[in-house]
Amino acid sequence: MNGKPRFRQRMRTITENVNGVPVEYDVPDTTPVRRLPFNLDATLRKALFAAAIVMTIGAIVWGTVAIGSMLSLLAPAWAAYLVAGVFDAGWAACLIAEWLLRYDSKRATTPRNVGVALLVVSMAAIIVHGALAGPWGWIIGIVGALVSAAAKGVWAIGMHTIRIKLEPKYEAYLRTLQQDTGTQLALALGERDRLLTQDRTVELKLALEARRPPAPPVAEPVNQTADRPADHTESTPVHAADQPVDQIEATPEPVLVQATGRAVDRPVRAEDQVDELFRRLRNGDHITKKGAASILGVSESTAYRRLKDAESKLHQYR
């Protein structure tokens, strides 16, 4: 023994005010614990379903051995015994579905009927296997088939003890709540699949574009009229009404005054356009060829080349 208590003592928290400061500390909880009275119904219900589970396992084992032995006459043993458990496992799965739908009588009808059909097929196969064993083998087959019937019967009795017959309005209310919850779950899963597909599409496009060689830079023609200051006007001759044609005087050239610190105008380079598209792509913008042309103010063919260069640059950063 290491001196530690075998069972940890229950504690409770006390809050007090000590010299104007609220403090909390734990003390042993000596409140007597009230135990629930013994529930015989719950214990018997657990015993009933435990017996049903054990009988189901035995029925599945017996059915698999019997049907597998019969099928091994025409197929390899591993395949015969693997397929033999399909029928018994099938009606056992229908039992689980019937349990999950025990509060919905309409939806529980389908697994109940399918389970009975699979049980009949399994029992018939067990009887046939017994008949092939010898003159009195069919009696053994019937007894073996009744094992599956007994397991199914115990499950039916257990389901009958817990099944609650709801009134039509409450059953419809419960079904409506389940449908609303299922709809919300389906929409959430659909949105998740859409976002995952969108991410995979973007990654695939970037991977395909990365495999292409980068387009050679193309020098854009400089627009002389755009680079010219807006306040610059060309000098035009002024012709007075009483002045001869050969004595026309030119108006004085206006003097362009630039503000202090004003950036000097320069032609727009292809690298600047690529950087602008790269910045927008990194911010999460979805840019098409037409959108790039609208942003840069160039033709769609030129915008497409700039957009591809920006996507390649974005892929390198990732």
Side-chain angles (χ1 to χ4, degrees), residues 269-280 310 313:
R269 298 181 301 177
E271 292 80 0
D272 298 335
Q273 296 175 346
V274 173
D275 292 340
E276 175 64 20
L277 296 179
F278 171 74
R279 182 183 63 81
R280 292 174 179 260
K313 186 176 180 181

Side-chain angles (χ1 to χ4, degrees), residues 182-298:
T183 300
Q184 295 177 7
L185 177 61
L187 293 176
L189 293 177
E191 181 66 15
R192 183 198 64 178
D193 294 340
R194 186 188 68 83
L195 294 176
L196 292 177
T197 303
Q198 185 177 3
D199 293 340
R200 287 194 295 267
T201 302
V202 173
E203 293 177 359
L204 178 60
K205 289 183 178 180
L206 293 176
L208 293 176
E209 292 298 332
R211 299 179 61 181
R212 297 181 180 179
V218 179
E220 290 292 332
V222 180
N223 192 351
Q224 298 294 338
T225 58
D227 298 335
R228 185 177 301 168
D231 54 355
H232 176 74
T233 56
E234 295 180 355
S235 59
T236 55
V238 180
H239 183 202
D242 55 349
Q243 186 179 12
V245 176
D246 55 351
Q247 296 182 4
I248 298 176
E249 295 181 0
T251 57
E253 183 75 17
V255 179
L256 179 62
V257 179
Q258 296 183 351
T260 305
R262 180 180 177 181
V264 179
D265 295 336
R266 61 179 178 83
V268 179
R269 298 181 301 177
E271 292 80 0
D272 298 335
Q273 296 175 346
V274 173
D275 292 340
E276 175 64 20
L277 296 179
F278 171 74
R279 182 183 63 81
R280 292 174 179 260
L281 289 175
R282 289 195 64 180
N283 292 335
D285 296 347
H286 178 69
I287 305 176
T288 60
K289 179 175 67 175
K290 187 174 180 180
S294 177
I295 294 173
L296 301 179
V298 297

Side-chain angles (χ1 to χ4, degrees), residues 11 60 65 71 83 111 115 123 128 132 185 227 252 255 257 263 267 316:
M11 307 293 289
I60 293 176
V65 172
L71 295 179
V83 176
M123 292 174 61
V128 172
L132 295 177
L185 177 61
D227 298 335
V255 179
V257 179
Q316 294 176 359

